[in-house]
Amino acid sequence: MVLQTKSGGKHPSLVEGLQGLQTLNEQVADQIPQRHKDPASLLAAGKWMSAPELVHIVDTAWKHAELDLQQQGVTVQNSRQLHDAALASVTFSHLPPIRLSCIRGLVAPTYQGSCLHPDCKLLGCEGNRLYIITTSPLLIRIQLPHHKNACKWSQASIAFDLPAELAELLHTYLGEPHTALLDYHLLIGQSCPCVFMDMHRRDFTGAALPLYWQKWLVLQGGVSMNPSMCRQVFIDERASNSAAAGPSNQGAAMVMGHSEQQRCKWYDMQFHPRLAQNAVNSMQLWRTAMLQIRSDALAAAAQLSLSPAPHCRHVKRAIG
């Protein structure tokens, strides 16, 4: 039975409820990774960016954040900028895209407590976290005991040393900027142990991370793309005929914990640390190629905008 007014229309409260459900439905649908859609369909829907475009946005955000930090010193605003650049760099660009579940609960090196994973039964486990191995030279290692393939890999952790540039960015952020964010968003209770946090100094839960990422990406001039799609963007580039030099499929699959259709139907029941580290080491070469492709595209677009239209050239000749 539909609640109606005397004039036959729907009751205002019912209309508001239906509108609220429609909005919620759209938000939920937007957070479900569209993994089986081709890039052309996603591009038409405004939910897709190419690998060169994404790498360019991440790289630009990082440079701007570091420049602001150098010029202004540590402030809450540029600390948040550096946080976002670090989050984006871990999600895409410097590493074969690891799963969001691993990024969401990544614990800072200073955390001294037990594993925070709700289902952890591993003796002595310290959770998904960063370790600062040495500071001179700087060496940061990521250890991910909790990932989708942990059981299939006999509880083997995904582990590798971070590339130098990413290690430097994270080390800078985890110093005074990280402290500044914790102090500014100080709440009653225990301090947030995670590397990344929302605007209220809480660790990301549920759909909070995708929503945060999408909002950030739009502010940087991108589209509202779910961060889970970064894995498909990476695989699409690696599978293309014009793929740049970079990590092997097997090595990338180790870091990613496998992915779209089990990483192009290649699957290994063991984790191979050497393959994972080799893939990470190869990512700088891949990043350089992506940045060059984007730079060339922007230069070509700028040149095209400066060129007179065909009819203008005809008019110029006639005048001459």
Side-chain angles (χ1 to χ4, degrees), residues 270-310:
Q270 288 183 320
F271 176 74
H272 301 283
R274 181 179 60 82
L275 289 177
Q277 191 62 60
N278 287 344
V280 171
N281 296 343
S282 299
M283 285 298 290
Q284 181 57 48
L285 185 63
W286 182 81
R287 283 188 69 250
T288 301
M290 295 300 102
L291 289 171
Q292 186 60 55
I293 291 171
R294 185 57 180 165
S295 177
D296 292 344
L298 292 173
Q303 185 63 36
L304 184 62
S305 67
L306 294 174
S307 300

mmCIF file of all heavy atoms in Angstrom, residues 270-310:
data_model
loop_
_atom_site.group_PDB
_atom_site.id
_atom_site.type_symbol
_atom_site.label_atom_id
_atom_site.label_comp_id
_atom_site.label_asym_id
_atom_site.label_seq_id
_atom_site.Cartn_x
_atom_site.Cartn_y
_atom_site.Cartn_z
ATOM 1 N N GLN A 270 52.674 -19.923 -3.841
ATOM 2 C CA GLN A 270 53.690 -19.524 -2.880
ATOM 3 C C GLN A 270 54.056 -18.066 -3.084
ATOM 4 O O GLN A 270 53.920 -17.527 -4.185
ATOM 5 C CB GLN A 270 54.950 -20.387 -3.039
ATOM 6 C CG GLN A 270 54.791 -21.824 -2.563
ATOM 7 C CD GLN A 270 56.106 -22.583 -2.679
ATOM 8 O OE1 GLN A 270 56.840 -22.427 -3.642
ATOM 9 N NE2 GLN A 270 56.406 -23.390 -1.679
ATOM 10 N N PHE A 271 54.508 -17.431 -1.993
ATOM 11 C CA PHE A 271 55.019 -16.068 -2.097
ATOM 12 C C PHE A 271 56.523 -16.136 -2.325
ATOM 13 O O PHE A 271 57.241 -16.838 -1.614
ATOM 14 C CB PHE A 271 54.728 -15.279 -0.816
ATOM 15 C CG PHE A 271 55.310 -13.892 -0.833
ATOM 16 C CD1 PHE A 271 54.736 -12.901 -1.611
ATOM 17 C CD2 PHE A 271 56.453 -13.586 -0.101
ATOM 18 C CE1 PHE A 271 55.272 -11.621 -1.651
ATOM 19 C CE2 PHE A 271 56.996 -12.314 -0.127
ATOM 20 C CZ PHE A 271 56.405 -11.326 -0.916
ATOM 21 N N HIS A 272 56.999 -15.408 -3.320
ATOM 22 C CA HIS A 272 58.418 -15.402 -3.666
ATOM 23 C C HIS A 272 58.998 -14.020 -3.374
ATOM 24 O O HIS A 272 58.789 -13.077 -4.153
ATOM 25 C CB HIS A 272 58.610 -15.749 -5.145
ATOM 26 C CG HIS A 272 58.045 -17.090 -5.516
ATOM 27 N ND1 HIS A 272 58.681 -18.278 -5.213
ATOM 28 C CD2 HIS A 272 56.909 -17.437 -6.157
ATOM 29 C CE1 HIS A 272 57.970 -19.301 -5.649
ATOM 30 N NE2 HIS A 272 56.876 -18.809 -6.232
ATOM 31 N N PRO A 273 59.707 -13.864 -2.268
ATOM 32 C CA PRO A 273 60.236 -12.546 -1.876
ATOM 33 C C PRO A 273 61.117 -11.898 -2.938
ATOM 34 O O PRO A 273 61.052 -10.684 -3.159
ATOM 35 C CB PRO A 273 61.038 -12.855 -0.603
ATOM 36 C CG PRO A 273 60.440 -14.117 -0.073
ATOM 37 C CD PRO A 273 60.034 -14.903 -1.267
ATOM 38 N N ARG A 274 61.953 -12.682 -3.589
ATOM 39 C CA ARG A 274 62.861 -12.115 -4.585
ATOM 40 C C ARG A 274 62.099 -11.525 -5.758
ATOM 41 O O ARG A 274 62.415 -10.426 -6.250
ATOM 42 C CB ARG A 274 63.825 -13.195 -5.083
ATOM 43 C CG ARG A 274 64.841 -12.679 -6.110
ATOM 44 C CD ARG A 274 65.775 -13.796 -6.540
ATOM 45 N NE ARG A 274 65.035 -14.893 -7.142
ATOM 46 C CZ ARG A 274 64.620 -14.912 -8.422
ATOM 47 N NH1 ARG A 274 64.867 -13.874 -9.211
ATOM 48 N NH2 ARG A 274 63.973 -15.957 -8.900
ATOM 49 N N LEU A 275 61.049 -12.232 -6.221
ATOM 50 C CA LEU A 275 60.237 -11.718 -7.324
ATOM 51 C C LEU A 275 59.522 -10.430 -6.923
ATOM 52 O O LEU A 275 59.428 -9.486 -7.712
ATOM 53 C CB LEU A 275 59.211 -12.771 -7.762
ATOM 54 C CG LEU A 275 59.749 -14.003 -8.492
ATOM 55 C CD1 LEU A 275 58.608 -14.968 -8.796
ATOM 56 C CD2 LEU A 275 60.461 -13.615 -9.779
ATOM 57 N N ALA A 276 59.026 -10.392 -5.685
ATOM 58 C CA ALA A 276 58.331 -9.197 -5.201
ATOM 59 C C ALA A 276 59.282 -8.006 -5.157
ATOM 60 O O ALA A 276 58.952 -6.909 -5.612
ATOM 61 C CB ALA A 276 57.736 -9.458 -3.824
ATOM 62 N N GLN A 277 60.487 -8.216 -4.605
ATOM 63 C CA GLN A 277 61.443 -7.113 -4.503
ATOM 64 C C GLN A 277 61.910 -6.636 -5.873
ATOM 65 O O GLN A 277 62.056 -5.432 -6.113
ATOM 66 C CB GLN A 277 62.647 -7.544 -3.668
ATOM 67 C CG GLN A 277 63.572 -6.393 -3.285
ATOM 68 C CD GLN A 277 62.872 -5.363 -2.421
ATOM 69 O OE1 GLN A 277 62.396 -5.653 -1.338
ATOM 70 N NE2 GLN A 277 62.788 -4.125 -2.908
ATOM 71 N N ASN A 278 62.121 -7.569 -6.789
ATOM 72 C CA ASN A 278 62.515 -7.188 -8.152
ATOM 73 C C ASN A 278 61.433 -6.343 -8.823
ATOM 74 O O ASN A 278 61.736 -5.395 -9.560
ATOM 75 C CB ASN A 278 62.798 -8.431 -8.991
ATOM 76 C CG ASN A 278 64.099 -9.120 -8.606
ATOM 77 O OD1 ASN A 278 64.942 -8.526 -7.924
ATOM 78 N ND2 ASN A 278 64.265 -10.364 -9.014
ATOM 79 N N ALA A 279 60.172 -6.687 -8.570
ATOM 80 C CA ALA A 279 59.062 -5.922 -9.155
ATOM 81 C C ALA A 279 59.035 -4.501 -8.608
ATOM 82 O O ALA A 279 58.855 -3.534 -9.356
ATOM 83 C CB ALA A 279 57.732 -6.628 -8.869
ATOM 84 N N VAL A 280 59.229 -4.361 -7.304
ATOM 85 C CA VAL A 280 59.255 -3.034 -6.684
ATOM 86 C C VAL A 280 60.424 -2.217 -7.227
ATOM 87 O O VAL A 280 60.284 -1.027 -7.535
ATOM 88 C CB VAL A 280 59.347 -3.161 -5.149
ATOM 89 C CG1 VAL A 280 59.588 -1.801 -4.497
ATOM 90 C CG2 VAL A 280 58.067 -3.778 -4.595
ATOM 91 N N ASN A 281 61.582 -2.856 -7.366
ATOM 92 C CA ASN A 281 62.755 -2.157 -7.882
ATOM 93 C C ASN A 281 62.566 -1.690 -9.325
ATOM 94 O O ASN A 281 63.177 -0.700 -9.749
ATOM 95 C CB ASN A 281 63.988 -3.067 -7.800
ATOM 96 C CG ASN A 281 64.370 -3.420 -6.366
ATOM 97 O OD1 ASN A 281 63.939 -2.757 -5.420
ATOM 98 N ND2 ASN A 281 65.164 -4.451 -6.199
ATOM 99 N N SER A 282 61.719 -2.395 -10.074
ATOM 100 C CA SER A 282 61.481 -2.050 -11.482
ATOM 101 C C SER A 282 60.453 -0.935 -11.646
ATOM 102 O O SER A 282 60.295 -0.402 -12.749
ATOM 103 C CB SER A 282 61.000 -3.287 -12.246
ATOM 104 O OG SER A 282 61.962 -4.315 -12.229
ATOM 105 N N MET A 283 59.766 -0.592 -10.582
ATOM 106 C CA MET A 283 58.690 0.389 -10.694
ATOM 107 C C MET A 283 59.187 1.797 -10.994
ATOM 108 O O MET A 283 58.480 2.595 -11.590
ATOM 109 C CB MET A 283 57.838 0.393 -9.423
ATOM 110 C CG MET A 283 56.894 -0.793 -9.305
ATOM 111 S SD MET A 283 55.665 -0.865 -10.634
ATOM 112 C CE MET A 283 54.623 0.534 -10.228
ATOM 113 N N GLN A 284 60.418 2.140 -10.571
ATOM 114 C CA GLN A 284 60.931 3.478 -10.861
ATOM 115 C C GLN A 284 61.095 3.669 -12.372
ATOM 116 O O GLN A 284 60.797 4.736 -12.910
ATOM 117 C CB GLN A 284 62.264 3.703 -10.152
ATOM 118 C CG GLN A 284 62.872 5.084 -10.386
ATOM 119 C CD GLN A 284 61.942 6.211 -9.974
ATOM 120 O OE1 GLN A 284 61.385 6.190 -8.883
ATOM 121 N NE2 GLN A 284 61.734 7.195 -10.841
ATOM 122 N N LEU A 285 61.544 2.634 -13.052
ATOM 123 C CA LEU A 285 61.660 2.680 -14.506
ATOM 124 C C LEU A 285 60.290 2.870 -15.144
ATOM 125 O O LEU A 285 60.121 3.652 -16.089
ATOM 126 C CB LEU A 285 62.303 1.379 -15.010
ATOM 127 C CG LEU A 285 62.625 1.292 -16.504
ATOM 128 C CD1 LEU A 285 63.657 2.331 -16.898
ATOM 129 C CD2 LEU A 285 63.134 -0.115 -16.841
ATOM 130 N N TRP A 286 59.307 2.179 -14.596
ATOM 131 C CA TRP A 286 57.934 2.279 -15.115
ATOM 132 C C TRP A 286 57.364 3.668 -14.855
ATOM 133 O O TRP A 286 56.748 4.270 -15.733
ATOM 134 C CB TRP A 286 57.067 1.209 -14.449
ATOM 135 C CG TRP A 286 55.660 1.176 -14.924
ATOM 136 C CD1 TRP A 286 55.191 0.588 -16.072
ATOM 137 C CD2 TRP A 286 54.510 1.753 -14.280
ATOM 138 N NE1 TRP A 286 53.825 0.756 -16.177
ATOM 139 C CE2 TRP A 286 53.381 1.468 -15.099
ATOM 140 C CE3 TRP A 286 54.320 2.461 -13.106
ATOM 141 C CZ2 TRP A 286 52.095 1.877 -14.759
ATOM 142 C CZ3 TRP A 286 53.036 2.879 -12.775
ATOM 143 C CH2 TRP A 286 51.948 2.585 -13.589
ATOM 144 N N ARG A 287 57.581 4.204 -13.652
ATOM 145 C CA ARG A 287 57.085 5.544 -13.309
ATOM 146 C C ARG A 287 57.675 6.596 -14.255
ATOM 147 O O ARG A 287 56.974 7.498 -14.720
ATOM 148 C CB ARG A 287 57.471 5.919 -11.880
ATOM 149 C CG ARG A 287 56.654 5.276 -10.795
ATOM 150 C CD ARG A 287 57.002 5.866 -9.433
ATOM 151 N NE ARG A 287 56.551 7.247 -9.332
ATOM 152 C CZ ARG A 287 57.360 8.296 -9.301
ATOM 153 N NH1 ARG A 287 58.675 8.137 -9.381
ATOM 154 N NH2 ARG A 287 56.879 9.515 -9.199
ATOM 155 N N THR A 288 58.962 6.481 -14.506
ATOM 156 C CA THR A 288 59.625 7.433 -15.400
ATOM 157 C C THR A 288 58.990 7.402 -16.779
ATOM 158 O O THR A 288 58.769 8.454 -17.401
ATOM 159 C CB THR A 288 61.128 7.114 -15.499
ATOM 160 O OG1 THR A 288 61.718 7.190 -14.196
ATOM 161 C CG2 THR A 288 61.835 8.094 -16.425
ATOM 162 N N ALA A 289 58.681 6.207 -17.261
ATOM 163 C CA ALA A 289 58.043 6.069 -18.571
ATOM 164 C C ALA A 289 56.649 6.685 -18.573
ATOM 165 O O ALA A 289 56.262 7.374 -19.525
ATOM 166 C CB ALA A 289 57.972 4.593 -18.962
ATOM 167 N N MET A 290 55.880 6.460 -17.493
ATOM 168 C CA MET A 290 54.534 7.019 -17.420
ATOM 169 C C MET A 290 54.568 8.548 -17.396
ATOM 170 O O MET A 290 53.767 9.221 -18.056
ATOM 171 C CB MET A 290 53.809 6.501 -16.168
ATOM 172 C CG MET A 290 53.525 4.999 -16.153
ATOM 173 S SD MET A 290 52.485 4.420 -17.512
ATOM 174 C CE MET A 290 53.738 3.707 -18.587
ATOM 175 N N LEU A 291 55.512 9.112 -16.649
ATOM 176 C CA LEU A 291 55.634 10.571 -16.564
ATOM 177 C C LEU A 291 56.044 11.163 -17.909
ATOM 178 O O LEU A 291 55.592 12.245 -18.290
ATOM 179 C CB LEU A 291 56.646 10.956 -15.481
ATOM 180 C CG LEU A 291 56.198 10.714 -14.035
ATOM 181 C CD1 LEU A 291 57.352 10.921 -13.070
ATOM 182 C CD2 LEU A 291 55.032 11.623 -13.664
ATOM 183 N N GLN A 292 56.901 10.455 -18.639
ATOM 184 C CA GLN A 292 57.329 10.940 -19.951
ATOM 185 C C GLN A 292 56.174 10.915 -20.941
ATOM 186 O O GLN A 292 55.983 11.855 -21.725
ATOM 187 C CB GLN A 292 58.484 10.086 -20.471
ATOM 188 C CG GLN A 292 59.100 10.609 -21.764
ATOM 189 C CD GLN A 292 59.673 12.008 -21.611
ATOM 190 O OE1 GLN A 292 60.503 12.244 -20.738
ATOM 191 N NE2 GLN A 292 59.230 12.945 -22.451
ATOM 192 N N ILE A 293 55.388 9.849 -20.895
ATOM 193 C CA ILE A 293 54.221 9.741 -21.784
ATOM 194 C C ILE A 293 53.242 10.879 -21.520
ATOM 195 O O ILE A 293 52.720 11.514 -22.443
ATOM 196 C CB ILE A 293 53.522 8.370 -21.604
ATOM 197 C CG1 ILE A 293 54.415 7.243 -22.137
ATOM 198 C CG2 ILE A 293 52.165 8.344 -22.306
ATOM 199 C CD1 ILE A 293 53.909 5.857 -21.810
ATOM 200 N N ARG A 294 53.005 11.155 -20.249
ATOM 201 C CA ARG A 294 52.071 12.240 -19.880
ATOM 202 C C ARG A 294 52.634 13.595 -20.275
ATOM 203 O O ARG A 294 51.901 14.471 -20.763
ATOM 204 C CB ARG A 294 51.794 12.197 -18.382
ATOM 205 C CG ARG A 294 50.744 13.207 -17.919
ATOM 206 C CD ARG A 294 49.440 13.032 -18.654
ATOM 207 N NE ARG A 294 48.434 13.987 -18.219
ATOM 208 C CZ ARG A 294 47.324 14.251 -18.879
ATOM 209 N NH1 ARG A 294 47.071 13.635 -20.035
ATOM 210 N NH2 ARG A 294 46.455 15.127 -18.414
ATOM 211 N N SER A 295 53.928 13.784 -20.064
ATOM 212 C CA SER A 295 54.569 15.043 -20.444
ATOM 213 C C SER A 295 54.465 15.277 -21.943
ATOM 214 O O SER A 295 54.174 16.397 -22.394
ATOM 215 C CB SER A 295 56.038 15.026 -20.008
ATOM 216 O OG SER A 295 56.695 16.209 -20.418
ATOM 217 N N ASP A 296 54.696 14.245 -22.724
ATOM 218 C CA ASP A 296 54.596 14.359 -24.184
ATOM 219 C C ASP A 296 53.164 14.692 -24.607
ATOM 220 O O ASP A 296 52.947 15.501 -25.519
ATOM 221 C CB ASP A 296 55.043 13.055 -24.851
ATOM 222 C CG ASP A 296 56.537 12.792 -24.677
ATOM 223 O OD1 ASP A 296 57.258 13.740 -24.320
ATOM 224 O OD2 ASP A 296 56.962 11.639 -24.887
ATOM 225 N N ALA A 297 52.189 14.068 -23.932
ATOM 226 C CA ALA A 297 50.779 14.315 -24.267
ATOM 227 C C ALA A 297 50.390 15.748 -23.942
ATOM 228 O O ALA A 297 49.683 16.406 -24.730
ATOM 229 C CB ALA A 297 49.886 13.332 -23.513
ATOM 230 N N LEU A 298 50.831 16.254 -22.805
ATOM 231 C CA LEU A 298 50.518 17.637 -22.429
ATOM 232 C C LEU A 298 51.197 18.633 -23.366
ATOM 233 O O LEU A 298 50.607 19.658 -23.728
ATOM 234 C CB LEU A 298 50.958 17.896 -20.986
ATOM 235 C CG LEU A 298 50.164 17.153 -19.891
ATOM 236 C CD1 LEU A 298 50.806 17.369 -18.529
ATOM 237 C CD2 LEU A 298 48.713 17.617 -19.876
ATOM 238 N N ALA A 299 52.436 18.325 -23.763
ATOM 239 C CA ALA A 299 53.151 19.210 -24.685
ATOM 240 C C ALA A 299 52.461 19.241 -26.044
ATOM 241 O O ALA A 299 52.333 20.306 -26.666
ATOM 242 C CB ALA A 299 54.594 18.739 -24.832
ATOM 243 N N ALA A 300 52.012 18.083 -26.504
ATOM 244 C CA ALA A 300 51.313 18.016 -27.789
ATOM 245 C C ALA A 300 49.997 18.773 -27.737
ATOM 246 O O ALA A 300 49.628 19.474 -28.689
ATOM 247 C CB ALA A 300 51.068 16.552 -28.159
ATOM 248 N N ALA A 301 49.284 18.665 -26.621
ATOM 249 C CA ALA A 301 48.013 19.376 -26.468
ATOM 250 C C ALA A 301 48.240 20.884 -26.437
ATOM 251 O O ALA A 301 47.473 21.658 -27.026
ATOM 252 C CB ALA A 301 47.315 18.922 -25.187
ATOM 253 N N ALA A 302 49.321 21.311 -25.761
ATOM 254 C CA ALA A 302 49.636 22.741 -25.699
ATOM 255 C C ALA A 302 50.000 23.277 -27.081
ATOM 256 O O ALA A 302 49.595 24.383 -27.462
ATOM 257 C CB ALA A 302 50.779 22.974 -24.717
ATOM 258 N N GLN A 303 50.760 22.495 -27.838
ATOM 259 C CA GLN A 303 51.146 22.907 -29.183
ATOM 260 C C GLN A 303 49.940 23.020 -30.096
ATOM 261 O O GLN A 303 49.829 23.950 -30.908
ATOM 262 C CB GLN A 303 52.140 21.892 -29.753
ATOM 263 C CG GLN A 303 52.712 22.257 -31.112
ATOM 264 C CD GLN A 303 53.526 23.539 -31.072
ATOM 265 O OE1 GLN A 303 54.202 23.802 -30.080
ATOM 266 N NE2 GLN A 303 53.463 24.335 -32.136
ATOM 267 N N LEU A 304 49.016 22.079 -29.930
ATOM 268 C CA LEU A 304 47.803 22.087 -30.756
ATOM 269 C C LEU A 304 46.945 23.309 -30.447
ATOM 270 O O LEU A 304 46.352 23.915 -31.347
ATOM 271 C CB LEU A 304 47.000 20.804 -30.500
ATOM 272 C CG LEU A 304 45.744 20.596 -31.364
ATOM 273 C CD1 LEU A 304 46.130 20.501 -32.841
ATOM 274 C CD2 LEU A 304 45.006 19.334 -30.921
ATOM 275 N N SER A 305 46.904 23.704 -29.164
ATOM 276 C CA SER A 305 46.095 24.859 -28.787
ATOM 277 C C SER A 305 46.675 26.164 -29.319
ATOM 278 O O SER A 305 45.952 27.146 -29.514
ATOM 279 C CB SER A 305 45.975 24.940 -27.262
ATOM 280 O OG SER A 305 47.238 25.222 -26.678
ATOM 281 N N LEU A 306 47.996 26.179 -29.558
ATOM 282 C CA LEU A 306 48.635 27.379 -30.076
ATOM 283 C C LEU A 306 48.566 27.485 -31.595
ATOM 284 O O LEU A 306 48.751 28.561 -32.156
ATOM 285 C CB LEU A 306 50.118 27.413 -29.647
ATOM 286 C CG LEU A 306 50.382 27.566 -28.149
ATOM 287 C CD1 LEU A 306 51.871 27.442 -27.862
ATOM 288 C CD2 LEU A 306 49.840 28.891 -27.630
ATOM 289 N N SER A 307 48.327 26.349 -32.241
ATOM 290 C CA SER A 307 48.259 26.341 -33.704
ATOM 291 C C SER A 307 46.963 26.978 -34.169
ATOM 292 O O SER A 307 45.888 26.675 -33.631
ATOM 293 C CB SER A 307 48.343 24.902 -34.227
ATOM 294 O OG SER A 307 49.553 24.300 -33.817
ATOM 295 N N PRO A 308 46.999 27.859 -35.161
ATOM 296 C CA PRO A 308 45.761 28.467 -35.667
ATOM 297 C C PRO A 308 44.888 27.455 -36.374
ATOM 298 O O PRO A 308 45.370 26.471 -36.930
ATOM 299 C CB PRO A 308 46.281 29.527 -36.649
ATOM 300 C CG PRO A 308 47.624 29.024 -37.076
ATOM 301 C CD PRO A 308 48.197 28.325 -35.873
ATOM 302 N N ALA A 309 43.592 27.668 -36.314
ATOM 303 C CA ALA A 309 42.649 26.783 -36.985
ATOM 304 C C ALA A 309 42.867 26.868 -38.498
ATOM 305 O O ALA A 309 43.351 27.881 -39.011
ATOM 306 C CB ALA A 309 41.215 27.167 -36.636
ATOM 307 N N PRO A 310 42.512 25.822 -39.263
ATOM 308 C CA PRO A 310 42.727 25.807 -40.715
ATOM 309 C C PRO A 310 42.147 27.029 -41.430
ATOM 310 O O PRO A 310 42.793 27.611 -42.285
ATOM 311 C CB PRO A 310 42.034 24.515 -41.154
ATOM 312 C CG PRO A 310 42.110 23.635 -39.953
ATOM 313 C CD PRO A 310 41.964 24.550 -38.778
#
